[in-house]
Coordinates of all heavy atoms in Angstrom, one line a residue:
A1 N 3.2 -8.4 -4.1 CA 1.8 -8.0 -4.2 C 1.7 -6.7 -3.5 O 2.5 -6.2 -2.7 CB 0.9 -9.0 -3.5
G2 N 0.6 -6.0 -3.9 CA 0.4 -4.7 -3.4 C -1.1 -4.4 -3.1 O -2.0 -5.1 -3.7
W3 N -1.3 -3.5 -2.2 CA -2.7 -3.0 -1.9 C -2.8 -1.6 -2.5 O -1.8 -0.8 -2.3 CB -3.0 -2.9 -0.4 CG -3.4 -4.2 0.2 CD1 -2.6 -5.1 0.8 CD2 -4.7 -4.8 0.1 NE1 -3.3 -6.2 1.2 CE2 -4.6 -6.1 0.8 CE3 -5.9 -4.4 -0.4 CZ2 -5.7 -6.9 1.0 CZ3 -7.0 -5.2 -0.2 CH2 -6.9 -6.5 0.4
F4 N -3.9 -1.3 -3.2 CA -4.1 0.0 -3.8 C -5.4 0.5 -3.3 O -6.3 -0.2 -2.8 CB -4.2 -0.2 -5.3 CG -3.0 -0.8 -5.9 CD1 -2.7 -2.2 -5.9 CD2 -2.0 0.0 -6.6 CE1 -1.6 -2.7 -6.4 CE2 -0.9 -0.6 -7.2 CZ -0.7 -1.9 -7.1
R5 N -5.7 1.8 -3.5 CA -7.0 2.3 -3.1 C -7.3 3.4 -4.1 O -6.5 4.0 -4.8 CB -7.0 2.9 -1.7 CG -6.1 4.1 -1.5 CD -6.2 4.5 0.0 NE -5.4 5.7 0.3 CZ -5.1 6.1 1.5 NH1 -5.6 5.4 2.6 NH2 -4.4 7.2 1.7
Q6 N -8.6 3.6 -4.3 CA -9.2 4.6 -5.2 C -10.3 5.3 -4.5 O -11.4 4.7 -4.3 CB -9.6 3.9 -6.5 CG -10.0 4.9 -7.6 CD -10.2 4.3 -8.9 OE1 -10.4 3.1 -9.0 NE2 -10.2 5.1 -10.0
A7 N -10.1 6.6 -4.2 CA -11.1 7.4 -3.6 C -11.9 8.1 -4.7 O -11.5 8.2 -5.9 CB -10.5 8.5 -2.8
P8 N -13.1 8.5 -4.4 CA -14.0 9.1 -5.5 C -13.3 10.3 -6.2 O -12.7 11.2 -5.5 CB -15.2 9.6 -4.7 CG -15.3 8.7 -3.5 CD -13.8 8.4 -3.1
G9 N -13.3 10.3 -7.5 CA -12.7 11.3 -8.3 C -11.2 11.2 -8.4 O -10.6 12.0 -9.1
N10 N -10.6 10.2 -7.8 CA -9.1 10.0 -7.9 C -8.8 8.8 -8.7 O -9.6 7.9 -8.9 CB -8.5 10.0 -6.5 CG -8.7 11.3 -5.7 OD1 -8.8 12.4 -6.3 ND2 -8.7 11.2 -4.4
Q11 N -7.5 8.7 -9.1 CA -7.0 7.5 -9.7 C -6.5 6.5 -8.6 O -6.3 6.9 -7.5 CB -5.8 7.8 -10.6 CG -6.2 8.5 -11.9 CD -5.1 8.6 -12.9 OE1 -4.0 9.1 -12.6 NE2 -5.3 8.1 -14.1
R12 N -6.4 5.3 -9.0 CA -5.9 4.3 -8.1 C -4.4 4.6 -7.7 O -3.6 4.9 -8.5 CB -6.0 2.9 -8.8 CG -5.7 1.7 -7.9 CD -5.8 0.4 -8.7 NE -7.2 0.2 -9.2 CZ -7.5 0.2 -10.5 NH1 -6.6 0.5 -11.4 NH2 -8.8 0.0 -10.8
E13 N -4.2 4.4 -6.4 CA -2.8 4.7 -5.9 C -2.3 3.5 -5.1 O -3.1 2.8 -4.4 CB -2.8 6.0 -5.1 CG -3.6 5.9 -3.8 CD -3.5 7.2 -2.9 OE1 -2.5 7.9 -3.1 OE2 -4.3 7.4 -2.0
L14 N -1.0 3.3 -5.1 CA -0.4 2.3 -4.3 C -0.3 2.7 -2.9 O 0.2 3.8 -2.5 CB 1.0 2.0 -4.8 CG 1.8 0.9 -4.1 CD1 1.1 -0.5 -4.2 CD2 3.2 0.8 -4.6
V15 N -0.8 1.8 -2.0 CA -0.8 2.1 -0.5 C 0.3 1.3 0.2 O 1.1 1.9 1.0 CB -2.1 1.7 0.1 CG1 -2.1 1.8 1.6 CG2 -3.2 2.6 -0.5
A16 N 0.5 0.0 -0.1 CA 1.5 -0.8 0.5 C 1.9 -1.9 -0.5 O 1.1 -2.4 -1.3 CB 0.9 -1.4 1.8
H17 N 3.1 -2.3 -0.3 CA 3.7 -3.4 -1.2 C 4.6 -4.3 -0.4 O 5.3 -3.9 0.5 CB 4.5 -2.7 -2.3 CG 5.1 -3.7 -3.3 ND1 6.4 -4.1 -3.2 CD2 4.5 -4.3 -4.4 CE1 6.6 -5.0 -4.2 NE2 5.5 -5.1 -4.9
I18 N 4.5 -5.6 -0.8 CA 5.4 -6.6 -0.2 C 6.0 -7.4 -1.4 O 5.3 -7.8 -2.3 CB 4.6 -7.5 0.7 CG1 5.6 -8.5 1.4 CG2 3.5 -8.2 0.0 CD1 4.9 -9.3 2.6
T19 N 7.3 -7.5 -1.3 CA 8.0 -8.2 -2.4 C 7.9 -9.7 -2.1 O 7.5 -10.2 -1.1 CB 9.5 -7.8 -2.4 OG1 10.2 -8.3 -1.2 CG2 9.7 -6.3 -2.5
G20 N 8.4 -10.5 -3.2 CA 8.4 -11.9 -3.0 C 9.3 -12.4 -1.9 O 9.0 -13.5 -1.3
S21 N 10.3 -11.6 -1.5 CA 11.2 -12.0 -0.4 C 10.7 -11.5 0.9 O 11.4 -11.7 1.9 CB 12.6 -11.5 -0.7 OG 12.6 -10.1 -0.9
G22 N 9.6 -10.7 0.9 CA 9.1 -10.3 2.2 C 9.3 -8.8 2.6 O 8.9 -8.4 3.6
N23 N 10.1 -8.1 1.8 CA 10.3 -6.7 2.1 C 9.1 -5.8 1.8 O 8.3 -6.1 0.9 CB 11.5 -6.2 1.2 CG 12.8 -6.8 1.5 OD1 13.1 -7.1 2.7 ND2 13.6 -7.1 0.5
T24 N 8.8 -4.8 2.6 CA 7.6 -4.0 2.5 C 8.0 -2.6 2.4 O 9.0 -2.1 2.8 CB 6.7 -4.2 3.8 OG1 7.5 -3.8 4.9 CG2 6.3 -5.7 3.9
N25 N 7.1 -1.8 1.8 CA 7.1 -0.4 1.7 C 5.7 0.2 1.7 O 4.8 -0.5 1.3 CB 8.0 0.1 0.6 CG 7.4 -0.3 -0.8 OD1 7.6 -1.4 -1.3 ND2 6.6 0.7 -1.4
Y26 N 5.6 1.4 2.1 CA 4.3 2.1 2.3 C 4.3 3.5 1.7 O 5.3 4.2 1.7 CB 3.9 2.1 3.8 CG 3.9 0.7 4.4 CD1 5.0 0.2 5.0 CD2 2.7 0.0 4.4 CE1 5.0 -1.0 5.6 CE2 2.7 -1.3 5.0 CZ 3.9 -1.8 5.6 OH 3.9 -3.0 6.2
A27 N 3.1 3.9 1.3 CA 2.9 5.3 1.0 C 3.1 6.1 2.3 O 2.8 5.7 3.4 CB 1.5 5.5 0.4
D28 N 3.6 7.3 2.1 CA 3.8 8.2 3.3 C 2.6 8.4 4.1 O 2.6 8.6 5.3 CB 4.4 9.5 2.8 CG 5.8 9.4 2.3 OD1 6.5 8.4 2.7 OD2 6.3 10.4 1.6
S29 N 1.4 8.5 3.4 CA 0.2 8.8 4.0 C -0.3 7.7 5.0 O -1.1 8.0 5.9 CB -0.9 9.1 3.0 OG -1.1 7.9 2.2
V30 N 0.2 6.5 4.9 CA -0.2 5.4 5.7 C 0.9 4.8 6.5 O 0.6 3.9 7.4 CB -0.9 4.3 4.9 CG1 -2.0 4.9 4.0 CG2 0.1 3.5 4.0
K31 N 2.1 5.2 6.3 CA 3.3 4.6 7.0 C 3.1 4.8 8.5 O 2.8 5.9 9.0 CB 4.5 5.3 6.6 CG 5.8 4.6 7.1 CD 7.1 5.2 6.5 CE 8.3 4.5 6.9 NZ 9.5 5.1 6.3
G32 N 3.3 3.7 9.2 CA 3.2 3.7 10.7 C 1.8 3.3 11.1 O 1.6 3.0 12.3
R33 N 0.8 3.3 10.2 CA -0.6 2.9 10.6 C -1.0 1.6 9.9 O -1.8 0.9 10.5 CB -1.5 4.1 10.2 CG -1.2 5.4 10.8 CD -2.3 6.4 10.5 NE -2.4 6.7 9.1 CZ -3.5 6.5 8.3 NH1 -4.6 6.0 8.9 NH2 -3.4 6.9 7.0
F34 N -0.5 1.4 8.7 CA -0.9 0.2 7.9 C 0.2 -0.8 7.9 O 1.4 -0.4 7.9 CB -1.3 0.6 6.5 CG -2.5 1.3 6.3 CD1 -3.2 1.9 7.4 CD2 -3.1 1.5 5.0 CE1 -4.4 2.6 7.2 CE2 -4.2 2.2 4.9 CZ -4.9 2.8 6.0
T35 N -0.1 -2.1 7.9 CA 0.9 -3.2 7.8 C 0.4 -4.2 6.7 O -0.7 -4.7 6.9 CB 1.1 -3.8 9.1 OG1 1.5 -2.9 10.1 CG2 2.2 -4.9 9.0
I36 N 1.3 -4.5 5.8 CA 1.0 -5.5 4.8 C 1.7 -6.8 5.2 O 2.8 -6.7 5.6 CB 1.3 -5.0 3.4 CG1 0.9 -6.1 2.3 CG2 2.8 -4.8 3.2 CD1 1.0 -5.6 0.9
S37 N 1.0 -7.9 5.0 CA 1.6 -9.2 5.4 C 1.0 -10.2 4.4 O 0.1 -10.0 3.7 CB 1.4 -9.5 6.8 OG 0.0 -9.6 7.1
R38 N 1.5 -11.4 4.5 CA 1.0 -12.5 3.7 C 1.1 -13.9 4.5 O 1.9 -14.0 5.4 CB 1.8 -12.6 2.4 CG 3.3 -13.1 2.6 CD 4.0 -13.1 1.3 NE 5.4 -13.5 1.5 CZ 6.4 -13.2 0.8 NH1 6.2 -12.4 -0.3 NH2 7.7 -13.6 1.0

């Protein structure tokens, strides 16, 4: 699953993702500040 965001005037972008096995990755703009979990 993933979290996306859409700011005014912009397209939707991927912010954070977690795989079915629990691996995570983040957009550079939020890395170190955001955490995805389930």
Side-chain angles (χ1 to χ4, degrees):
W3 280 98
F4 305 76
R5 68 186 180 187
Q6 187 169 20
N10 296 333
Q11 289 191 304
R12 188 181 296 110
E13 64 174 344
L14 178 66
V15 174
H17 180 261
I18 183 168
T19 69
S21 59
N23 295 320
T24 60
N25 63 276
Y26 303 89
D28 289 340
S29 59
V30 307
K31 190 174 183 179
R33 300 187 297 118
F34 290 11
T35 303
I36 186 171
S37 62
R38 68 185 179 202

